[in-house]
Amino acid sequence: MDLQLAGRRAIVTGGSRGIGLATARALAAEGARVALVARDPDRLAAAAASLRDAAAPEIITVSADSDDDAAVRAAVGTVVDRFGGIDVLVNAAARPAGSAPPSDLGSLTDDAVRAELETKLLGYLRFARAVAPLMTAQGWGRIVNVSGLNARKSSSLVGSVRNVAVASMTAALAAELGPHGVNVTVVHPGFTETERTPALVDARAAALGTDPATARAGLDATTTIGRITTAAEVADVITFLCSPRSVAINGDAVAAGGGTPGVTHY
């Protein structure tokens, strides 16, 4: 299937590693021009080099903090100056679920919750707000927000709240922008294989008092495919949603976590 992404201009936030980098790689493989946005310029440079080594059409990097609205608007302006416009936004700049603050009521502080919402909810909103006028003016665009399956669980207060908030924001943006040719969707990965996974598995093993192999087996058992998904596999789903082929999907949440045993979503 031709995803019709050749020549499209994309911004990927959180693009220096993890799902963001995997998505940038998948978009570039489809012929898109990609701007990687993240805070750390050194990681951005390394990520861009890896994509250029794979013969990506055009990769640029922009260092920006999504907590700062002025920085977000400046970053978008830089991309527009280079690419001449923006067709696709993938919001993936957020702390991974495993690094979220404690969820027990007695230990959870207001500031900890604010920090999570500042980056994942408001950071996503800032980028969407900056690119939406450009997309509606040209009559086409795609915004994909990377959230997480904690939106469907109550096991993590902060993780659930921030991810539900992103899903709700997605639906609201889709209703507003959809009639103008801009589809907005949210993808819910589960625990995903990235460069952080070995350290997270080791930490899980230590917390459970077991060995890494047993801890990993426990994670694999949380899916109906028998293993956790990889960042590249999640990126394939996101990339389809970035394409003109995904026009029938707007405002919806798409799970990309390998399937949750014993649960039916309808």
Short mmCIF file of all heavy atoms in Angstrom, two decimals, residues 49-111:
data_model
loop_
_atom_site.label_atom_id
_atom_site.label_comp_id
_atom_site.label_asym_id
_atom_site.label_seq_id
_atom_site.Cartn_x
_atom_site.Cartn_y
_atom_site.Cartn_z
N ALA A 49 21.74 11.70 12.60
CA ALA A 49 22.81 10.99 11.88
C ALA A 49 22.40 9.57 11.54
O ALA A 49 22.68 9.07 10.45
CB ALA A 49 24.08 11.00 12.72
N SER A 50 21.70 8.90 12.48
CA SER A 50 21.27 7.52 12.23
C SER A 50 20.25 7.47 11.09
O SER A 50 20.23 6.52 10.31
CB SER A 50 20.68 6.90 13.50
OG SER A 50 19.41 7.45 13.82
N LEU A 51 19.41 8.49 10.98
CA LEU A 51 18.42 8.51 9.91
C LEU A 51 19.07 8.85 8.57
O LEU A 51 18.73 8.27 7.53
CB LEU A 51 17.33 9.54 10.22
CG LEU A 51 16.48 9.26 11.47
CD1 LEU A 51 15.41 10.32 11.63
CD2 LEU A 51 15.85 7.87 11.41
N ARG A 52 20.02 9.76 8.61
CA ARG A 52 20.71 10.11 7.36
C ARG A 52 21.53 8.92 6.85
O ARG A 52 21.65 8.72 5.64
CB ARG A 52 21.60 11.33 7.58
CG ARG A 52 20.80 12.60 7.85
CD ARG A 52 21.69 13.80 8.07
NE ARG A 52 20.90 14.98 8.45
CZ ARG A 52 21.09 15.69 9.55
NH1 ARG A 52 22.08 15.37 10.39
NH2 ARG A 52 20.33 16.73 9.82
N ASP A 53 22.07 8.14 7.75
CA ASP A 53 22.81 6.95 7.35
C ASP A 53 21.91 5.96 6.63
O ASP A 53 22.37 5.14 5.83
CB ASP A 53 23.44 6.27 8.57
CG ASP A 53 24.63 7.04 9.12
OD1 ASP A 53 25.13 7.94 8.41
OD2 ASP A 53 25.04 6.76 10.27
N ALA A 54 20.59 6.03 6.94
CA ALA A 54 19.62 5.15 6.28
C ALA A 54 19.03 5.80 5.03
O ALA A 54 17.99 5.36 4.53
CB ALA A 54 18.51 4.79 7.26
N ALA A 55 19.68 6.86 4.56
CA ALA A 55 19.29 7.54 3.31
C ALA A 55 17.92 8.17 3.40
O ALA A 55 17.14 8.13 2.45
CB ALA A 55 19.37 6.57 2.13
N ALA A 56 17.60 8.78 4.55
CA ALA A 56 16.35 9.50 4.69
C ALA A 56 16.34 10.70 3.75
O ALA A 56 17.38 11.31 3.51
CB ALA A 56 16.18 9.97 6.14
N PRO A 57 15.18 11.07 3.18
CA PRO A 57 15.11 12.16 2.21
C PRO A 57 15.66 13.49 2.74
O PRO A 57 16.50 14.11 2.11
CB PRO A 57 13.61 12.26 1.91
CG PRO A 57 13.07 10.92 2.22
CD PRO A 57 13.87 10.43 3.38
N GLU A 58 15.16 13.94 3.87
CA GLU A 58 15.65 15.19 4.47
C GLU A 58 15.31 15.19 5.94
O GLU A 58 14.14 15.05 6.33
CB GLU A 58 15.04 16.41 3.79
CG GLU A 58 15.63 17.73 4.30
CD GLU A 58 15.13 18.95 3.55
OE1 GLU A 58 14.27 18.80 2.68
OE2 GLU A 58 15.61 20.06 3.87
N ILE A 59 16.33 15.36 6.76
CA ILE A 59 16.15 15.37 8.22
C ILE A 59 16.74 16.65 8.77
O ILE A 59 17.88 17.00 8.47
CB ILE A 59 16.87 14.17 8.88
CG1 ILE A 59 16.38 12.84 8.30
CG2 ILE A 59 16.67 14.21 10.39
CD1 ILE A 59 14.93 12.54 8.56
N ILE A 60 15.96 17.37 9.58
CA ILE A 60 16.50 18.51 10.30
C ILE A 60 16.21 18.33 11.78
O ILE A 60 15.35 17.53 12.17
CB ILE A 60 15.92 19.86 9.80
CG1 ILE A 60 14.42 19.96 10.11
CG2 ILE A 60 16.20 20.04 8.33
CD1 ILE A 60 13.85 21.34 9.84
N THR A 61 16.94 19.04 12.62
CA THR A 61 16.73 18.96 14.06
C THR A 61 16.46 20.35 14.61
O THR A 61 17.03 21.34 14.15
CB THR A 61 17.95 18.35 14.78
OG1 THR A 61 19.08 19.20 14.59
CG2 THR A 61 18.27 16.97 14.24
N VAL A 62 15.60 20.40 15.61
CA VAL A 62 15.30 21.64 16.31
C VAL A 62 15.23 21.34 17.80
O VAL A 62 14.44 20.51 18.24
CB VAL A 62 13.95 22.25 15.86
CG1 VAL A 62 13.73 23.60 16.54
CG2 VAL A 62 13.89 22.39 14.35
N SER A 63 16.09 21.99 18.56
CA SER A 63 16.08 21.81 20.02
C SER A 63 15.05 22.75 20.62
O SER A 63 15.11 23.97 20.41
CB SER A 63 17.47 22.11 20.60
OG SER A 63 17.45 21.97 22.01
N ALA A 64 14.08 22.19 21.34
CA ALA A 64 13.03 23.01 21.94
C ALA A 64 12.42 22.27 23.12
O ALA A 64 12.36 21.03 23.14
CB ALA A 64 11.95 23.34 20.93
N ASP A 65 11.94 23.03 24.09
CA ASP A 65 11.27 22.51 25.29
C ASP A 65 9.78 22.70 25.12
O ASP A 65 9.30 23.84 25.02
CB ASP A 65 11.78 23.26 26.52
CG ASP A 65 11.23 22.71 27.82
OD1 ASP A 65 10.28 21.89 27.78
OD2 ASP A 65 11.75 23.10 28.89
N SER A 66 9.02 21.62 25.08
CA SER A 66 7.58 21.73 24.85
C SER A 66 6.85 22.35 26.03
O SER A 66 5.65 22.66 25.93
CB SER A 66 6.99 20.35 24.54
OG SER A 66 7.14 19.47 25.64
N ASP A 67 7.53 22.54 27.16
CA ASP A 67 6.92 23.23 28.30
C ASP A 67 6.86 24.75 28.08
O ASP A 67 6.22 25.46 28.86
CB ASP A 67 7.72 22.96 29.58
CG ASP A 67 7.59 21.53 30.06
OD1 ASP A 67 6.87 20.75 29.42
OD2 ASP A 67 8.20 21.19 31.09
N ASP A 68 7.52 25.24 27.04
CA ASP A 68 7.66 26.67 26.79
C ASP A 68 6.95 27.02 25.48
O ASP A 68 7.39 26.64 24.40
CB ASP A 68 9.15 27.02 26.70
CG ASP A 68 9.41 28.50 26.50
OD1 ASP A 68 8.51 29.23 26.05
OD2 ASP A 68 10.55 28.93 26.78
N ASP A 69 5.84 27.74 25.58
CA ASP A 69 5.04 28.03 24.38
C ASP A 69 5.83 28.84 23.36
O ASP A 69 5.73 28.59 22.15
CB ASP A 69 3.77 28.78 24.76
CG ASP A 69 2.82 28.94 23.58
OD1 ASP A 69 2.42 27.91 22.99
OD2 ASP A 69 2.49 30.09 23.23
N ALA A 70 6.62 29.81 23.81
CA ALA A 70 7.42 30.61 22.87
C ALA A 70 8.42 29.73 22.14
O ALA A 70 8.65 29.90 20.92
CB ALA A 70 8.13 31.74 23.62
N ALA A 71 9.02 28.78 22.85
CA ALA A 71 9.98 27.88 22.22
C ALA A 71 9.30 26.97 21.21
O ALA A 71 9.86 26.66 20.15
CB ALA A 71 10.69 27.04 23.29
N VAL A 72 8.09 26.53 21.53
CA VAL A 72 7.33 25.69 20.60
C VAL A 72 7.03 26.45 19.32
O VAL A 72 7.24 25.95 18.21
CB VAL A 72 6.02 25.21 21.26
CG1 VAL A 72 5.08 24.60 20.23
CG2 VAL A 72 6.32 24.20 22.36
N ARG A 73 6.54 27.67 19.45
CA ARG A 73 6.21 28.47 18.26
C ARG A 73 7.46 28.78 17.44
O ARG A 73 7.42 28.77 16.20
CB ARG A 73 5.49 29.75 18.68
CG ARG A 73 4.11 29.48 19.26
CD ARG A 73 3.33 30.74 19.56
NE ARG A 73 2.03 30.43 20.11
CZ ARG A 73 0.95 30.11 19.40
NH1 ARG A 73 1.05 30.07 18.07
NH2 ARG A 73 -0.20 29.83 19.96
N ALA A 74 8.57 29.02 18.12
CA ALA A 74 9.82 29.26 17.40
C ALA A 74 10.27 28.01 16.65
O ALA A 74 10.75 28.10 15.51
CB ALA A 74 10.90 29.72 18.38
N ALA A 75 10.11 26.85 17.28
CA ALA A 75 10.50 25.60 16.63
C ALA A 75 9.66 25.36 15.38
O ALA A 75 10.18 24.98 14.32
CB ALA A 75 10.34 24.44 17.60
N VAL A 76 8.36 25.57 15.50
CA VAL A 76 7.48 25.40 14.34
C VAL A 76 7.86 26.38 13.24
O VAL A 76 7.91 26.02 12.06
CB VAL A 76 6.00 25.56 14.76
CG1 VAL A 76 5.09 25.63 13.53
CG2 VAL A 76 5.58 24.40 15.66
N GLY A 77 8.17 27.61 13.63
CA GLY A 77 8.60 28.60 12.64
C GLY A 77 9.86 28.19 11.91
O GLY A 77 9.99 28.40 10.70
N THR A 78 10.79 27.60 12.64
CA THR A 78 12.03 27.13 12.02
C THR A 78 11.76 26.06 10.98
O THR A 78 12.35 26.05 9.89
CB THR A 78 12.98 26.58 13.11
OG1 THR A 78 13.34 27.63 14.01
CG2 THR A 78 14.24 25.99 12.49
N VAL A 79 10.86 25.13 11.32
CA VAL A 79 10.53 24.06 10.38
C VAL A 79 9.83 24.62 9.14
O VAL A 79 10.13 24.22 8.01
CB VAL A 79 9.64 22.99 11.06
CG1 VAL A 79 9.25 21.91 10.06
CG2 VAL A 79 10.37 22.37 12.25
N VAL A 80 8.92 25.56 9.35
CA VAL A 80 8.22 26.17 8.22
C VAL A 80 9.22 26.90 7.30
O VAL A 80 9.13 26.80 6.08
CB VAL A 80 7.13 27.12 8.71
CG1 VAL A 80 6.54 27.92 7.54
CG2 VAL A 80 6.02 26.36 9.42
N ASP A 81 10.16 27.58 7.90
CA ASP A 81 11.18 28.28 7.10
C ASP A 81 11.97 27.30 6.23
O ASP A 81 12.34 27.62 5.09
CB ASP A 81 12.13 29.06 8.00
CG ASP A 81 11.50 30.28 8.63
OD1 ASP A 81 10.43 30.71 8.13
OD2 ASP A 81 12.05 30.81 9.61
N ARG A 82 12.24 26.13 6.77
CA ARG A 82 13.04 25.14 6.04
C ARG A 82 12.21 24.32 5.05
O ARG A 82 12.63 24.10 3.90
CB ARG A 82 13.72 24.20 7.05
CG ARG A 82 14.57 23.12 6.44
CD ARG A 82 15.82 23.66 5.74
NE ARG A 82 16.64 22.57 5.26
CZ ARG A 82 17.63 22.01 5.96
NH1 ARG A 82 17.92 22.48 7.18
NH2 ARG A 82 18.33 21.01 5.48
N PHE A 83 11.03 23.88 5.48
CA PHE A 83 10.22 22.98 4.66
C PHE A 83 9.15 23.70 3.84
O PHE A 83 8.58 23.11 2.92
CB PHE A 83 9.54 21.93 5.54
CG PHE A 83 10.45 20.87 6.09
CD1 PHE A 83 10.00 19.98 7.07
CD2 PHE A 83 11.76 20.72 5.65
CE1 PHE A 83 10.81 18.99 7.58
CE2 PHE A 83 12.59 19.73 6.15
CZ PHE A 83 12.12 18.86 7.13
N GLY A 84 8.83 24.95 4.22
CA GLY A 84 7.78 25.66 3.51
C GLY A 84 6.39 25.37 4.01
O GLY A 84 5.41 25.91 3.49
N GLY A 85 6.26 24.56 5.03
CA GLY A 85 4.95 24.23 5.60
C GLY A 85 5.05 22.98 6.44
O GLY A 85 6.13 22.40 6.59
N ILE A 86 3.92 22.56 6.99
CA ILE A 86 3.87 21.36 7.83
C ILE A 86 2.61 20.58 7.49
O ILE A 86 1.51 21.13 7.47
CB ILE A 86 3.88 21.71 9.33
CG1 ILE A 86 5.19 22.43 9.70
CG2 ILE A 86 3.72 20.45 10.19
CD1 ILE A 86 5.17 23.05 11.07
N ASP A 87 2.77 19.29 7.23
CA ASP A 87 1.64 18.42 6.92
C ASP A 87 1.29 17.47 8.05
O ASP A 87 0.13 17.08 8.20
CB ASP A 87 1.95 17.58 5.68
CG ASP A 87 2.29 18.43 4.47
OD1 ASP A 87 1.43 19.24 4.07
OD2 ASP A 87 3.42 18.30 3.94
N VAL A 88 2.30 17.09 8.83
CA VAL A 88 2.13 16.05 9.84
C VAL A 88 2.79 16.48 11.14
O VAL A 88 3.91 17.00 11.14
CB VAL A 88 2.77 14.71 9.37
CG1 VAL A 88 2.78 13.68 10.49
CG2 VAL A 88 2.04 14.17 8.14
N LEU A 89 2.09 16.25 12.24
CA LEU A 89 2.66 16.42 13.58
C LEU A 89 2.47 15.14 14.36
O LEU A 89 1.34 14.65 14.48
CB LEU A 89 1.99 17.58 14.33
CG LEU A 89 2.29 17.67 15.84
CD1 LEU A 89 3.76 18.00 16.09
CD2 LEU A 89 1.38 18.69 16.52
N VAL A 90 3.57 14.60 14.88
CA VAL A 90 3.49 13.47 15.81
C VAL A 90 4.00 13.95 17.16
O VAL A 90 5.17 14.33 17.29
CB VAL A 90 4.33 12.26 15.33
CG1 VAL A 90 4.26 11.13 16.36
CG2 VAL A 90 3.84 11.78 13.97
N ASN A 91 3.13 13.96 18.14
CA ASN A 91 3.49 14.37 19.50
C ASN A 91 3.91 13.15 20.30
O ASN A 91 3.07 12.29 20.63
CB ASN A 91 2.29 15.03 20.18
CG ASN A 91 2.18 16.51 19.90
OD1 ASN A 91 3.17 17.23 19.91
ND2 ASN A 91 0.96 16.97 19.66
N ALA A 92 5.20 13.06 20.60
CA ALA A 92 5.70 11.91 21.38
C ALA A 92 6.65 12.34 22.49
O ALA A 92 7.32 11.51 23.09
CB ALA A 92 6.40 10.91 20.46
N ALA A 93 6.69 13.65 22.78
CA ALA A 93 7.63 14.16 23.79
C ALA A 93 7.00 14.09 25.18
O ALA A 93 6.23 14.97 25.57
CB ALA A 93 8.02 15.60 23.46
N ALA A 94 7.30 13.03 25.90
CA ALA A 94 6.79 12.88 27.26
C ALA A 94 7.65 11.88 28.01
O ALA A 94 8.30 11.03 27.39
CB ALA A 94 5.34 12.39 27.24
N ARG A 95 7.64 12.00 29.32
CA ARG A 95 8.38 11.02 30.11
C ARG A 95 7.71 9.66 29.99
O ARG A 95 6.48 9.57 29.96
CB ARG A 95 8.41 11.45 31.58
CG ARG A 95 9.18 12.72 31.82
CD ARG A 95 9.62 12.84 33.26
NE ARG A 95 8.53 12.68 34.22
CZ ARG A 95 8.71 12.52 35.54
NH1 ARG A 95 9.92 12.48 36.03
NH2 ARG A 95 7.68 12.40 36.34
N PRO A 96 8.50 8.57 29.91
CA PRO A 96 7.89 7.24 29.84
C PRO A 96 7.13 6.92 31.13
O PRO A 96 7.42 7.46 32.19
CB PRO A 96 9.10 6.30 29.67
CG PRO A 96 10.26 7.07 30.21
CD PRO A 96 9.97 8.51 29.92
N ALA A 97 6.14 6.03 30.99
CA ALA A 97 5.28 5.72 32.14
C ALA A 97 6.07 5.22 33.34
O ALA A 97 5.72 5.49 34.48
CB ALA A 97 4.24 4.67 31.73
N GLY A 98 7.16 4.49 33.08
CA GLY A 98 7.94 3.93 34.17
C GLY A 98 8.62 4.96 35.04
O GLY A 98 9.07 4.64 36.15
N SER A 99 8.74 6.19 34.56
CA SER A 99 9.40 7.23 35.34
C SER A 99 8.41 8.17 36.01
O SER A 99 8.80 9.20 36.55
CB SER A 99 10.34 8.04 34.44
OG SER A 99 9.63 8.69 33.41
N ALA A 100 7.13 7.84 35.96
CA ALA A 100 6.11 8.69 36.57
C ALA A 100 6.26 8.68 38.08
O ALA A 100 6.83 7.75 38.67
CB ALA A 100 4.72 8.20 36.18
N PRO A 101 5.76 9.73 38.77
CA PRO A 101 5.88 9.79 40.23
C PRO A 101 5.01 8.72 40.91
O PRO A 101 4.16 8.11 40.26
CB PRO A 101 5.36 11.20 40.56
CG PRO A 101 4.47 11.54 39.42
CD PRO A 101 5.09 10.90 38.21
N PRO A 102 5.22 8.47 42.21
CA PRO A 102 4.40 7.49 42.92
C PRO A 102 2.92 7.83 42.80
O PRO A 102 2.54 9.00 42.74
CB PRO A 102 4.88 7.62 44.37
CG PRO A 102 6.22 8.24 44.28
CD PRO A 102 6.20 9.12 43.09
N SER A 103 2.08 6.78 42.74
CA SER A 103 0.65 7.00 42.56
C SER A 103 -0.15 6.94 43.85
O SER A 103 -1.34 7.24 43.84
CB SER A 103 0.09 5.97 41.57
OG SER A 103 0.53 6.23 40.26
N ASP A 104 0.49 6.52 44.95
CA ASP A 104 -0.30 6.42 46.18
C ASP A 104 -0.63 7.82 46.68
O ASP A 104 0.17 8.76 46.60
CB ASP A 104 0.46 5.64 47.25
CG ASP A 104 1.78 6.27 47.64
OD1 ASP A 104 2.72 6.20 46.82
OD2 ASP A 104 1.85 6.87 48.72
N LEU A 105 -1.83 7.97 47.17
CA LEU A 105 -2.38 9.28 47.49
C LEU A 105 -1.54 10.03 48.50
O LEU A 105 -1.36 11.25 48.39
CB LEU A 105 -3.81 9.11 48.02
CG LEU A 105 -4.63 10.38 48.21
CD1 LEU A 105 -4.76 11.12 46.89
CD2 LEU A 105 -6.01 10.04 48.77
N GLY A 106 -1.00 9.31 49.47
CA GLY A 106 -0.23 9.98 50.51
C GLY A 106 1.08 10.57 50.02
O GLY A 106 1.55 11.58 50.56
N SER A 107 1.68 9.98 48.98
CA SER A 107 2.98 10.43 48.49
C SER A 107 2.89 11.38 47.30
O SER A 107 3.84 12.10 47.01
CB SER A 107 3.84 9.22 48.07
OG SER A 107 4.02 8.34 49.15
N LEU A 108 1.75 11.39 46.63
CA LEU A 108 1.61 12.17 45.41
C LEU A 108 1.43 13.65 45.72
O LEU A 108 0.59 14.03 46.51
CB LEU A 108 0.40 11.66 44.61
CG LEU A 108 0.20 12.25 43.23
CD1 LEU A 108 1.39 11.91 42.33
CD2 LEU A 108 -1.09 11.71 42.62
N THR A 109 2.26 14.47 45.08
CA THR A 109 2.18 15.92 45.32
C THR A 109 1.50 16.62 44.14
O THR A 109 1.49 16.12 43.02
CB THR A 109 3.58 16.52 45.50
OG1 THR A 109 4.31 16.40 44.26
CG2 THR A 109 4.35 15.81 46.61
N ASP A 110 0.98 17.81 44.42
CA ASP A 110 0.37 18.61 43.35
C ASP A 110 1.38 18.90 42.25
O ASP A 110 1.06 18.83 41.05
CB ASP A 110 -0.14 19.94 43.91
CG ASP A 110 -1.34 19.77 44.83
OD1 ASP A 110 -1.82 18.63 44.99
OD2 ASP A 110 -1.79 20.80 45.39
N ASP A 111 2.60 19.24 42.65
CA ASP A 111 3.61 19.61 41.67
C ASP A 111 3.97 18.44 40.75
O ASP A 111 4.26 18.63 39.56
CB ASP A 111 4.87 20.12 42.37
CG ASP A 111 4.69 21.52 42.93
OD1 ASP A 111 3.74 22.21 42.51
OD2 ASP A 111 5.50 21.92 43.79
#
